Amino acid sequence: MPLLPTGLLKPSSKVAVLTGAGVSAESGIPTFRSNGGFWHQHRFEDLATPQGFARDPKFVWTWYEERRRAIAIARPNAGHYALAEMEKRVASFTLITQNVDGLHDLAGSRNVIKLHGDIWNVRCLKCGQEKVDRSELADLPPHCACGGMLRPGVVWFGEQLPPGSIERAEAAVRAADLLIVAGTSAQVYPAAGVIPMARAAVEINPEETEFSTEVAYSLRGTSAEILPQLLP
Ligand code: OAD
């Protein structure tokens, strides 16, 4: 267990948090790039690009539907709950997440910016309607009432982030006294680009990242272990 800096957060603190797949690892959801991560078993070009989807929508949907079913039975862990509690205890709080699993919502976080969308959303390629659909999608690829094909409501490589989301994330990071970076390899941009904008940052990750030497505190451990200990 790393030595934790004391008094890092106070009730008067303005906090921004950037999370990635690692915060859901202890809820049983695999990450993308750590051992056993998705991108060690699959090519991201096939599963997480518009081109991959155009080539084989059924293959892409089968993978997303498997993930949706695994996420449907996952519960938030102590890290998610600590962030929901932190939001209540500090002066201002913005949670910026790259995760699409919705576990921050389930834990009770309110001010959440989802940079990469939400796996429970589906969007019609014909009429453009986006809606929440948590049902089991039996007939893949699924279709909209208008007849158009639906796609997962997530952001793929090469696509724009949801309108205004990165601007809101950057503004929250610049306004914060502290940015907590938890469970991300910080390799995907523009999400990782907010880290250098922080006045001060603390990283929580069992592994080193490219930002480990840049941040004020690099805490080696898991988010479920460390985040509860940062609560003011
Ligand atoms: P990665 O899989 O790239 O990184 C996960 C990070 O979490 C690694 O640095 C791990 O060391 C760390 N980690 C593992 N277990 C942890 C734990 N229990 N507590 C804390 N940290 C832990 O996932 P992301 O950084 O989220 O995008 O990846 C960013 C984006 O790349 C994803 O949103 C996804 C992916 O491709 C798209 O699909 C567009």
Side-chain angles (χ1 to χ4, degrees), residues 66-78:
E66 266 173 35
R67 283 179 66 202
R68 283 162 58 101
R69 291 308 118 211
I71 290 167
I73 55 171
R75 309 312 305 158
N77 63 56

PDB file of all heavy atoms in Angstrom, residues 66-78:
ATOM      1  N   GLU A  66     -22.192  -9.066 -25.845  1.00  0.00           N
ATOM      2  CA  GLU A  66     -21.501  -9.842 -24.783  1.00  0.00           C
ATOM      3  C   GLU A  66     -21.073  -8.922 -23.652  1.00  0.00           C
ATOM      4  O   GLU A  66     -21.242  -9.233 -22.476  1.00  0.00           O
ATOM      5  CB  GLU A  66     -20.237 -10.504 -25.337  1.00  0.00           C
ATOM      6  CG  GLU A  66     -20.437 -11.913 -25.821  1.00  0.00           C
ATOM      7  CD  GLU A  66     -19.176 -12.417 -26.512  1.00  0.00           C
ATOM      8  OE1 GLU A  66     -18.058 -12.056 -26.086  1.00  0.00           O
ATOM      9  OE2 GLU A  66     -19.329 -13.158 -27.507  1.00  0.00           O
ATOM     10  N   ARG A  67     -20.501  -7.775 -24.026  1.00  0.00           N
ATOM     11  CA  ARG A  67     -20.070  -6.815 -22.991  1.00  0.00           C
ATOM     12  C   ARG A  67     -21.270  -6.278 -22.222  1.00  0.00           C
ATOM     13  O   ARG A  67     -21.208  -6.127 -20.998  1.00  0.00           O
ATOM     14  CB  ARG A  67     -19.298  -5.655 -23.625  1.00  0.00           C
ATOM     15  CG  ARG A  67     -17.872  -6.045 -23.987  1.00  0.00           C
ATOM     16  CD  ARG A  67     -17.145  -4.885 -24.621  1.00  0.00           C
ATOM     17  NE  ARG A  67     -16.939  -3.759 -23.709  1.00  0.00           N
ATOM     18  CZ  ARG A  67     -16.726  -2.508 -24.100  1.00  0.00           C
ATOM     19  NH1 ARG A  67     -16.687  -2.209 -25.371  1.00  0.00           N
ATOM     20  NH2 ARG A  67     -16.538  -1.558 -23.213  1.00  0.00           N
ATOM     21  N   ARG A  68     -22.368  -5.968 -22.930  1.00  0.00           N
ATOM     22  CA  ARG A  68     -23.562  -5.442 -22.249  1.00  0.00           C
ATOM     23  C   ARG A  68     -24.075  -6.440 -21.217  1.00  0.00           C
ATOM     24  O   ARG A  68     -24.449  -6.059 -20.109  1.00  0.00           O
ATOM     25  CB  ARG A  68     -24.657  -5.133 -23.285  1.00  0.00           C
ATOM     26  CG  ARG A  68     -24.415  -3.831 -24.056  1.00  0.00           C
ATOM     27  CD  ARG A  68     -25.234  -3.775 -25.353  1.00  0.00           C
ATOM     28  NE  ARG A  68     -26.659  -3.909 -25.144  1.00  0.00           N
ATOM     29  CZ  ARG A  68     -27.542  -2.885 -25.129  1.00  0.00           C
ATOM     30  NH1 ARG A  68     -27.128  -1.638 -25.317  1.00  0.00           N
ATOM     31  NH2 ARG A  68     -28.818  -3.107 -24.954  1.00  0.00           N
ATOM     32  N   ARG A  69     -24.065  -7.722 -21.585  1.00  0.00           N
ATOM     33  CA  ARG A  69     -24.566  -8.744 -20.631  1.00  0.00           C
ATOM     34  C   ARG A  69     -23.625  -8.876 -19.434  1.00  0.00           C
ATOM     35  O   ARG A  69     -24.063  -9.088 -18.310  1.00  0.00           O
ATOM     36  CB  ARG A  69     -24.744 -10.100 -21.327  1.00  0.00           C
ATOM     37  CG  ARG A  69     -25.857 -10.168 -22.342  1.00  0.00           C
ATOM     38  CD  ARG A  69     -27.194  -9.676 -21.790  1.00  0.00           C
ATOM     39  NE  ARG A  69     -27.702  -8.508 -22.502  1.00  0.00           N
ATOM     40  CZ  ARG A  69     -28.449  -7.535 -21.972  1.00  0.00           C
ATOM     41  NH1 ARG A  69     -28.778  -7.555 -20.713  1.00  0.00           N
ATOM     42  NH2 ARG A  69     -28.848  -6.524 -22.699  1.00  0.00           N
ATOM     43  N   ALA A  70     -22.326  -8.778 -19.662  1.00  0.00           N
ATOM     44  CA  ALA A  70     -21.368  -8.868 -18.546  1.00  0.00           C
ATOM     45  C   ALA A  70     -21.513  -7.646 -17.639  1.00  0.00           C
ATOM     46  O   ALA A  70     -21.482  -7.749 -16.407  1.00  0.00           O
ATOM     47  CB  ALA A  70     -19.942  -8.969 -19.085  1.00  0.00           C
ATOM     48  N   ILE A  71     -21.707  -6.477 -18.247  1.00  0.00           N
ATOM     49  CA  ILE A  71     -21.839  -5.236 -17.471  1.00  0.00           C
ATOM     50  C   ILE A  71     -23.172  -5.230 -16.705  1.00  0.00           C
ATOM     51  O   ILE A  71     -23.246  -4.727 -15.579  1.00  0.00           O
ATOM     52  CB  ILE A  71     -21.725  -4.010 -18.412  1.00  0.00           C
ATOM     53  CG1 ILE A  71     -20.288  -3.879 -18.925  1.00  0.00           C
ATOM     54  CG2 ILE A  71     -22.162  -2.732 -17.712  1.00  0.00           C
ATOM     55  CD1 ILE A  71     -20.112  -2.910 -20.084  1.00  0.00           C
ATOM     56  N   ALA A  72     -24.211  -5.824 -17.308  1.00  0.00           N
ATOM     57  CA  ALA A  72     -25.539  -5.824 -16.670  1.00  0.00           C
ATOM     58  C   ALA A  72     -25.509  -6.488 -15.294  1.00  0.00           C
ATOM     59  O   ALA A  72     -26.267  -6.111 -14.412  1.00  0.00           O
ATOM     60  CB  ALA A  72     -26.551  -6.523 -17.570  1.00  0.00           C
ATOM     61  N   ILE A  73     -24.603  -7.453 -15.111  1.00  0.00           N
ATOM     62  CA  ILE A  73     -24.563  -8.137 -13.810  1.00  0.00           C
ATOM     63  C   ILE A  73     -23.439  -7.603 -12.908  1.00  0.00           C
ATOM     64  O   ILE A  73     -23.290  -8.037 -11.776  1.00  0.00           O
ATOM     65  CB  ILE A  73     -24.445  -9.675 -13.969  1.00  0.00           C
ATOM     66  CG1 ILE A  73     -23.243 -10.035 -14.827  1.00  0.00           C
ATOM     67  CG2 ILE A  73     -25.737 -10.265 -14.531  1.00  0.00           C
ATOM     68  CD1 ILE A  73     -22.947 -11.528 -14.849  1.00  0.00           C
ATOM     69  N   ALA A  74     -22.663  -6.634 -13.416  1.00  0.00           N
ATOM     70  CA  ALA A  74     -21.572  -6.076 -12.607  1.00  0.00           C
ATOM     71  C   ALA A  74     -22.115  -5.036 -11.633  1.00  0.00           C
ATOM     72  O   ALA A  74     -23.081  -4.338 -11.925  1.00  0.00           O
ATOM     73  CB  ALA A  74     -20.532  -5.439 -13.526  1.00  0.00           C
ATOM     74  N   ARG A  75     -21.503  -4.936 -10.478  1.00  0.00           N
ATOM     75  CA  ARG A  75     -21.895  -3.942  -9.477  1.00  0.00           C
ATOM     76  C   ARG A  75     -20.754  -2.930  -9.304  1.00  0.00           C
ATOM     77  O   ARG A  75     -19.582  -3.297  -9.466  1.00  0.00           O
ATOM     78  CB  ARG A  75     -22.164  -4.578  -8.098  1.00  0.00           C
ATOM     79  CG  ARG A  75     -23.110  -5.766  -8.084  1.00  0.00           C
ATOM     80  CD  ARG A  75     -24.392  -5.587  -8.852  1.00  0.00           C
ATOM     81  NE  ARG A  75     -25.210  -4.443  -8.497  1.00  0.00           N
ATOM     82  CZ  ARG A  75     -26.121  -3.901  -9.306  1.00  0.00           C
ATOM     83  NH1 ARG A  75     -26.291  -4.348 -10.529  1.00  0.00           N
ATOM     84  NH2 ARG A  75     -26.838  -2.883  -8.894  1.00  0.00           N
ATOM     85  N   PRO A  76     -21.087  -1.683  -8.942  1.00  0.00           N
ATOM     86  CA  PRO A  76     -20.007  -0.727  -8.654  1.00  0.00           C
ATOM     87  C   PRO A  76     -19.138  -1.257  -7.508  1.00  0.00           C
ATOM     88  O   PRO A  76     -19.629  -2.033  -6.679  1.00  0.00           O
ATOM     89  CB  PRO A  76     -20.761   0.531  -8.210  1.00  0.00           C
ATOM     90  CG  PRO A  76     -22.160   0.383  -8.700  1.00  0.00           C
ATOM     91  CD  PRO A  76     -22.437  -1.097  -8.751  1.00  0.00           C
ATOM     92  N   ASN A  77     -17.880  -0.855  -7.476  1.00  0.00           N
ATOM     93  CA  ASN A  77     -16.985  -1.263  -6.388  1.00  0.00           C
ATOM     94  C   ASN A  77     -16.682  -0.062  -5.480  1.00  0.00           C
ATOM     95  O   ASN A  77     -17.192   1.047  -5.686  1.00  0.00           O
ATOM     96  CB  ASN A  77     -15.710  -1.914  -6.949  1.00  0.00           C
ATOM     97  CG  ASN A  77     -14.891  -0.942  -7.789  1.00  0.00           C
ATOM     98  OD1 ASN A  77     -14.515   0.125  -7.316  1.00  0.00           O
ATOM     99  ND2 ASN A  77     -14.627  -1.301  -9.039  1.00  0.00           N
ATOM    100  N   ALA A  78     -15.849  -0.301  -4.486  1.00  0.00           N
ATOM    101  CA  ALA A  78     -15.575   0.737  -3.480  1.00  0.00           C
ATOM    102  C   ALA A  78     -15.002   2.015  -4.101  1.00  0.00           C
ATOM    103  O   ALA A  78     -15.200   3.113  -3.556  1.00  0.00           O
ATOM    104  CB  ALA A  78     -14.608   0.183  -2.434  1.00  0.00           C
TER     105      ALA A  78
END
